């Protein structure tokens, strides 16, 4: 008997070591051996895992963004760096109100724009005069927000824009790198624990502007040294931009991807070879990974604003996203294996606007209420499932459900490629959900029903799938958005002179007018109208074809004498956030003709496009 137990233990140990060996995991990064077969590459991909920091970050699900700074006071999205610090003048700044509002929305981490592209610092940096220290406010916004975060048990993160339109050294690479690292060091040493460092990828300085070569190695080393627990995002190597600023996740979202983080030395080469970037539809299919030489754990973050702009604009108070819209965004981000980074821009006063804070509370309450009870019995037990196999669970008696939640044990990698979910309703198995990737979390909705059992089938996967959790919930239906107004007026009676411009005025953003060259577009409103501004609606695609980025704008009463409206103009941040652009005039004026002279487009294709044109009368 003794001998038998001994043999059993030995066999168990041998089996265990065998499993551990075959389950060798690659934390964050795997290099594919040169002569690896397709099967071997897929097998390696299944064993790339997140670091502890990456895993904990993804489990948080909800991060809030605070875009606050000089733009709040100039009503812009991108400042040019020449603004006077004296403009920064919050009259009732209240860090507690801000943090409490975000906490009520369920957010676990808050990232503050400590410095946006205009270079204005929300802390009294000793390396520049362009900061709060020279504003009427005088205090330290970074300190106030980080202290309030700690007080309310929320994690704190910093956004530090690499692009700086104020720093005189910008473009003098070694000097600016020093300046940037000095500022980063201030942020990472003086404000307690920092959990996420967000480096924006935007840089508007074109070929004739200053080009900065960043020392990413030194920058990353600074973060690892000063805040080893922090994850780095966008121009960082822990978290990837989802590829749009509109809250849309991918149908197939892979955490394991050959997309090399931009900060890696060979990143450009890899991206070119595989023809991929953050906006590519496919970042992890079998087809793609079998062409790869390296694989990364590089999960996505979906950043989107609760209002059209990233900064606060009073004119957008009636365009705060509805609860339904926010919940849909939760499903297409967190529910599609991404993380949600929702921006809530503080007002000029220095608070979250009441409309936004009410919406946040509704959002938090909705999620807390919808996901409070899992109606699957024993849905929390980890199950290992082979390709082609199913697992069945009982559903709690009397439950009404309309939402499935599936989670993989991503600590062991991401493996599911295709799945199906069926419910046993009145003795019949009915398919209520199908999909490709699961990853951290997959949520699918269907019509409300009762059911006795749920069956999850893993139709395709890499190695053996590990399902961490299966859930069924009741997510109350919501009424479609009624608060978002279009904000501009357009009429099919207008004429685009010399062009067949019907698509410009057809009230359908999906139909896009395309120019033949870069000649100005002249619009005849056919009668004299008193207008406050104009609206340009671009193609709804990141870096989309012919999106106008820089332009001149003129108005006229007779089509002969033109008056220029402002100097050379820029549609700020339109490449990444191609939403309607409202251009307000200094004063209302009578206009019959509008002329838009494009100067630069997002893709430099020699043509420009207009999805819609409108005027602002109210
Ligand atoms: C973009 C920036 O240019 C926007 O202003 C904003 O900060 C957004 C989150 O990222 O790239």
């Amino acid at each position: 008997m003794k001998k038998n137990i001994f043999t059993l233990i030995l066999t168990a140990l041998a089996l265990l070591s065998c499993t551990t060996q075959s389950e060798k995991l690659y934390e964050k990064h795997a290099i594919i051996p040169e002569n690896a077969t397709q099967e071997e590459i897929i097998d390696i991909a299944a064993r790339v895992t997140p670091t502890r920091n990456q895993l904990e970050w993804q489990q948080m699900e909800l991060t809030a963004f605070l875009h606050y700074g000089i733009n709040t006071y100039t009503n812009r999205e991108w400042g040019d760096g020449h603004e006077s610090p004296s403009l920064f003048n919050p009259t009732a700044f209240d860090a507690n109100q801000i943090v409490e509002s975000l906490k009520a929305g369920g957010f676990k981490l808050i990232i503050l724009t400590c410095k946006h592209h205009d270079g204005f610092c929300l802390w009294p940096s000793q390396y520049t005069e362009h900061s709060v220290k020279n504003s009427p406010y005088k205090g330290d916004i970074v300190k106030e927000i980080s202290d309030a975060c700690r007080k309310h048990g929320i994690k704190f993160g910093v956004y530090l824009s690499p692009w700086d339109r104020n720093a005189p050294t910008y473009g003098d690479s070694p000097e600016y790198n020093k300046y940037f690292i000095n500022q980063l060091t201030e942020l990472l040493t003086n404000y307690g624990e920092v959990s996420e460092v967000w480096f924006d990828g935007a840089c508007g300085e074109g070929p004739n502007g200053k080009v900065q070569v960043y020392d990413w190695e030194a920058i990353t080393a600074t973060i690892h040294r000063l805040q080893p627990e922090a994850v780095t995002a966008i121009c960082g190597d822990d978290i990837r931009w989802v590829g749009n600023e509109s809250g849309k996740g991918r149908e197939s979202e892979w955490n394991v991807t050959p997309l090399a983080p931009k900060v890696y030395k060979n990143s450009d080469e890899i991206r070119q070879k595989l023809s991929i970037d953050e906006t590519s539809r496919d970042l992890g299919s079998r087809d793609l990974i079998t062409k790869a030489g390296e694989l990364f754990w590089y999960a996505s973050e979906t950043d989107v604003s609760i209002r059209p702009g990233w900064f606060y604009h009073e004119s957008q108070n009636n365009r705060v996203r509805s609860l339904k819209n926010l919940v849909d965004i939760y499903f297409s981000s967190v529910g599609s294996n991404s993380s949600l980074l929702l921006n809530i821009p503080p007002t000029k006063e220095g608070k979250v606007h009441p409309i936004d804070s009410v919406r946040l509370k509704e959002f938090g309450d909705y999620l807390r209420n919808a996901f409070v009870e899992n109606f699957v019995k024993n849905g929390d037990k980890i199950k290992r499932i082979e390709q082609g196999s199913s697992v069945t669970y009982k559903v709690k008696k009397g439950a009404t459900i309309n939402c499935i939640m599936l989670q993989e044990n991503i600590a062991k990698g991401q493996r599911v490629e295709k799945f199906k979910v069926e419910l046993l309703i009145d003795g019949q198995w009915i398919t209520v959900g199908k999909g490709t990737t699961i990853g951290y979390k997959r949520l699918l909705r269907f019509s409300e029903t009762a059911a006795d059992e749920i069956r999850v089938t893993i139709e395709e996967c890499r190695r053996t799938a590990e399902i961490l959790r299966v859930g069924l919930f009741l997510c109350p239906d919501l009424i479609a958005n009624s608060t978002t107004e279009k904000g501009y007026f357009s009429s099919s009676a207008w004429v685009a002179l010399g062009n067949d411009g019907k698509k410009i005025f057809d009230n359908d953003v999906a139909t896009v007018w395309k120019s033949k060259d870069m000649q100005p577009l002249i619009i005849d409103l056919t009668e004299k109208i008193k207008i406050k501004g104009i609206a340009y609606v671009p193609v709804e695609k990141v870096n989309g074809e012919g999106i106008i980025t820089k332009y001149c704008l003129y108005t006229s009463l007779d089509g002969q004498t033109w008056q220029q409206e402002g100097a050379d103009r820029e549609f700020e941040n339109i490449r990444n956030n191609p939403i309607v652009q409202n251009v307000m005039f200094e004063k209302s004026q009578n206009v019959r003709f509008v002329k838009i002279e494009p100067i630069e487009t997002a893709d430099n294709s020699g043509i420009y496009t207009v999805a819609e044109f409108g005027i602002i009368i109210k």
Side-chain angles (χ1 to χ4, degrees):
M1 184 65 187
K2 256 192 187 161
K3 195 179 163 209
N4 276 350
I5 289 178
F6 187 64
T7 329
L8 267 177
I9 294 175
L10 272 185
T11 326
L13 279 177
L15 271 174
L16 197 71
S17 84
C18 180
T19 336
T20 345
Q21 226 175 33
S22 59
E23 285 275 302
K24 175 179 180 321
L25 303 175
Y26 297 84
E27 195 179 89
K28 197 170 177 178
H29 185 201
I31 299 189
I32 311 284
E34 248 174 41
N35 45 8
T37 62
Q38 293 204 346
E39 283 70 41
E40 282 163 350
I41 300 180
I42 291 158
D43 191 77
I44 291 175
R47 289 180 284 133
V48 179
T49 57
T51 61
R52 187 171 53 84
N53 292 348
Q54 285 178 313
L55 179 63
E56 286 175 5
W57 167 81
Q58 194 154 6
Q59 287 166 335
M60 273 190 291
E61 297 190 0
L62 295 177
T63 303
F65 226 163
L66 287 176
H67 272 67
Y68 184 51
I70 208 87
N71 293 339
T72 314
Y73 299 89
T74 54
N75 208 18
R76 295 183 70 170
E77 281 289 297
W78 280 2
D80 55 23
H82 300 132
E83 299 84 1
S84 161
S86 64
L87 295 171
F88 185 83
N89 191 12
T91 46
F93 183 77
D94 188 345
N96 279 313
Q97 187 268 357
I98 295 176
V99 173
E100 277 166 8
S101 307
L102 303 176
K103 189 174 178 178
F107 294 89
K108 307 283 185 318
L109 163 66
I110 294 175
I111 301 177
L112 172 68
T113 54
C114 301
K115 177 183 89 166
H116 203 252
H117 310 328
D118 48 68
F120 181 80
C121 299
L122 290 182
W123 78 102
S125 170
Q126 59 165 297
Y127 301 100
T128 178
E129 291 308 305
H130 201 51
S131 87
V132 274
K133 73 181 172 205
N134 290 319
S135 76
Y137 177 70
K138 294 271 185 296
D140 183 340
I141 300 284
V142 179
K143 180 158 185 354
E144 301 237 11
I145 294 285
S146 56
D147 283 352
C149 282
R150 246 181 312 281
K151 178 168 155 202
H152 295 284
I154 303 281
K155 288 180 183 287
F156 174 66
V158 297
Y159 169 117
L160 184 69
S161 169
W163 182 31
D164 189 319
R165 293 174 122 177
N166 174 270
T169 54
Y170 186 81
D172 172 353
S173 299
E175 274 312 300
Y176 181 75
N177 279 325
K178 244 189 264 162
Y179 175 74
F180 189 72
I181 290 177
N182 280 336
Q183 291 198 321
L184 182 64
T185 304
E186 286 182 322
L187 289 176
L188 302 185
T189 34
N190 298 334
Y191 301 97
E193 192 182 335
V194 172
S195 303
E196 184 167 339
V197 180
W198 220 89
F199 292 142
D200 200 302
C203 176
E205 319 275 35
N208 307 320
K210 307 170 193 169
V211 178
Q212 169 70 28
V213 182
Y214 298 99
D215 185 350
W216 290 119
E217 221 173 288
I219 296 169
T220 312
T222 309
I223 303 170
H224 290 163
R225 181 167 53 83
L226 298 172
Q227 295 282 347
E229 308 279 296
V231 282
T232 59
I234 318 307
C235 288
D237 68 349
D238 290 310
I239 300 164
R240 143 175 79 84
W241 179 44
V242 77
N244 63 70
E245 293 183 357
S246 46
K248 293 185 194 126
R250 287 179 177 76
E251 161 57 26
S252 303
E253 184 62 88
W254 284 102
N255 294 337
V256 178
T257 170
L259 183 79
K262 275 196 193 136
V263 296
Y264 282 26
K265 283 227 166 74
N266 56 349
S267 159
D268 286 350
E269 207 183 297
I270 296 180
R271 287 163 175 242
Q272 266 161 27
K273 187 176 151 234
L274 299 172
S275 302
I276 48 170
D277 65 21
E278 280 78 359
T279 64
S280 305
R281 200 176 50 86
D282 174 15
L283 285 178
S285 70
R286 283 188 179 215
D287 260 10
L288 182 70
I289 60 171
T290 46
K291 293 183 205 131
E294 294 179 52
L295 292 171
F296 305 88
W297 184 274
Y298 200 27
S300 75
E301 180 176 64
T302 305
D303 59 326
V304 58
S305 185
I306 197 166
R307 291 159 172 254
W310 288 99
F311 285 88
Y312 176 79
H313 308 286
E314 198 186 338
S315 62
Q316 297 181 349
N317 283 350
N318 60 351
R319 303 188 61 202
V320 175
R321 290 181 186 275
S322 65
L323 176 60
K324 173 170 182 350
N325 188 243
L326 288 180
V327 169
D328 288 347
I329 287 179
Y330 178 81
F331 273 82
S332 76
S333 54
V334 176
S336 295
N337 186 34
S338 188
S339 155
L340 173 59
L341 173 55
L342 182 71
N343 178 62
I344 298 93
T347 59
K348 288 186 176 185
E349 261 191 307
K351 290 181 174 172
V352 169
H353 192 280
I355 300 178
D356 306 41
S357 66
V358 167
R359 195 55 36 82
L360 286 172
K361 172 87 172 44
E362 289 170 359
F363 179 62
D365 285 347
Y366 182 93
L367 295 183
R368 283 183 285 269
N369 170 33
F371 294 103
V372 67
E373 187 177 3
N374 183 357
F375 294 111
V376 174
K377 283 193 187 161
N378 297 320
D380 276 348
K381 281 202 183 130
I382 296 194
K383 298 262 164 114
R384 285 174 64 82
I385 311 176
E386 299 300 333
Q387 171 160 311
S389 309
S390 306
V391 54
T392 307
Y393 306 80
K394 293 248 176 295
V395 177
K396 291 184 189 165
K397 282 231 149 44
T400 306
I401 48 190
N402 65 0
C403 170
I404 305 157
M405 179 188 79
L406 300 176
Q407 290 193 275
E408 274 184 80
N409 182 17
I410 56 167
K412 290 281 186 64
Q414 187 184 347
R415 301 178 173 193
V416 177
E417 294 172 306
K418 196 171 172 209
F419 66 89
K420 180 170 86 177
V421 182
E422 296 155 291
L423 291 179
L424 187 63
I425 305 172
D426 290 336
Q428 268 195 85
W429 283 108
I430 306 216
T431 305
V432 287
K434 277 179 173 203
T436 54
T437 50
I438 295 178
Y440 165 70
K441 189 175 269 189
R442 184 69 188 238
L443 296 170
L444 292 171
R445 289 181 280 193
F446 51 91
S447 326
E448 230 171 88
T449 182
D452 298 313
E453 288 180 30
I454 172 170
R455 181 161 75 192
V456 180
T457 305
I458 303 302
E459 296 179 315
E460 281 166 32
C461 67
R462 302 172 183 176
R463 290 180 76 84
T464 304
E466 276 207 26
I467 299 299
L468 180 69
R469 197 165 291 125
V470 172
L472 282 171
F473 301 93
L474 180 64
C475 297
D477 279 343
L478 291 162
I479 297 163
N481 185 358
S482 56
T483 50
T484 307
E485 286 177 12
K486 212 162 81 173
Y488 63 87
F489 173 80
S490 137
S491 159
S492 56
W494 299 343
V495 181
L497 295 184
N499 286 297
D500 176 18
K502 284 195 196 70
K503 288 180 180 165
I504 303 179
F505 317 114
D506 63 356
N507 264 304
D508 182 358
V509 292
T511 56
V512 177
W513 174 83
K514 199 164 156 178
S515 73
K516 295 196 180 66
D517 46 34
M518 291 292 274
Q519 287 305 307
L521 172 70
I522 301 179
I523 293 159
D524 181 359
L525 307 176
T526 65
E527 60 188 327
K528 196 169 80 183
I529 307 178
K530 189 165 184 185
I531 68 177
K532 286 190 167 166
I534 61 116
Y536 165 63
V537 186
V539 184
E540 227 189 342
K541 182 170 183 286
V542 171
N543 269 325
E545 184 185 19
I547 291 184
I548 304 173
T549 46
K550 291 190 178 148
Y551 65 101
C552 292
L553 182 67
Y554 305 86
T555 54
S556 168
L557 274 172
D558 57 7
Q560 307 291 325
T561 321
W562 293 95
Q563 180 185 324
Q564 184 166 5
E565 299 300 334
D568 293 357
R569 287 172 170 272
E570 181 179 21
F571 289 127
E572 295 156 0
N573 197 32
I574 195 171
R575 291 167 196 264
N576 287 345
N577 196 17
I579 53 168
V580 52
Q581 308 286 314
N582 289 351
V583 183
M584 305 307 286
F585 299 161
E586 296 249 305
K587 311 196 256 335
S588 303
Q589 51 182 296
N590 288 319
V591 163
R592 168 153 171 191
F593 297 89
V594 178
K595 177 159 78 176
I596 302 168
E597 194 177 279
I599 296 182
E600 183 196 84
T601 57
D603 58 351
N604 288 315
S605 53
I607 58 112
Y608 61 101
T609 52
V610 182
E612 283 292 301
F613 168 87
I615 54 173
I616 298 160
I617 13 191
K618 282 200 270 179

